[in-house]
Amino acid sequence: MICYALRCAGGHAFESWFQSADAFDGLAAKGMLSCATCGSTDVSKSLMAPKVGSRQDASETPLEAKIAAFRRKVESEATYVGGRFATEARALHEAAQAEDRRADKAIYGEANAREVRSLLEDGVPIAPLPFMPKAKTN
């Protein structure tokens, strides 16, 4: 698939996706392209530049900004325990039941579906995070 910046004879600019460059050429030759604004079938490619750069260069959405802020908060205030999450969460829950002050520690990490199910069945308060730990990302 390829996206072309297009312009009609009336000067209206728009974009459209095509299966290939040949598909665009074939449709244009048959007069099967038209401007959504004025209906002109005199449509040609406009000057365009490919969007080159990393995803990090793109502006983030408000939701992405909130998730990034939440991630910074979790990483600064909690301890990453990796694959030991289920064991650590269960120990903290048991410490809280015994009113042990060590239970005030915040942790995050990974657990498989079986471990998560077991923790929830046992009443251990856990919640999924909307991001992967940095240790699991490239």
Side-chain angles (χ1 to χ4, degrees):
M1 296 289 290
I2 186 167
C3 182
Y4 283 127
L6 305 173
R7 184 170 298 280
C8 75
H12 302 113
F14 55 101
E15 291 182 345
S16 189
W17 287 91
F18 298 90
Q19 189 68 32
S20 64
D22 290 339
F24 170 83
D25 293 338
L27 292 170
K30 293 177 185 174
M32 297 181 73
L33 301 176
S34 64
C35 174
T37 303
C38 68
S40 170
T41 56
D42 186 3
V43 174
S44 61
K45 295 179 201 172
S46 282
L47 181 62
M48 58 185 201
K51 185 173 183 173
V52 178
S54 69
R55 172 70 175 108
Q56 295 169 346
D57 294 339
S59 58
E60 61 185 5
T61 66
L63 178 59
E64 289 170 327
K66 287 179 181 177
I67 290 172
F70 180 61
R71 177 186 203 127
R72 287 189 299 274
K73 181 174 178 58
V74 168
E75 289 175 345
S76 69
E77 296 178 10
T79 302
Y80 177 70
V81 295
R84 298 184 333 268
F85 179 78
T87 303
E88 296 285 332
R90 188 173 304 284
L92 287 174
H93 180 67
E94 289 169 1
Q97 299 292 359
E99 297 183 18
D100 187 331
R101 294 192 60 178
R102 291 175 290 168
D104 293 339
K105 181 171 119 178
I107 62 169
Y108 69 107
E110 294 91 43
N112 63 40
R114 183 184 51 77
E115 292 169 328
V116 168
R117 194 174 311 110
S118 177
L119 290 169
L120 291 172
E121 287 171 354
D122 293 342
V124 178
I126 60 171
L129 295 174
F131 57 83
M132 290 294 293
K134 285 184 180 173
K136 288 283 189 181
T137 59
N138 293 339

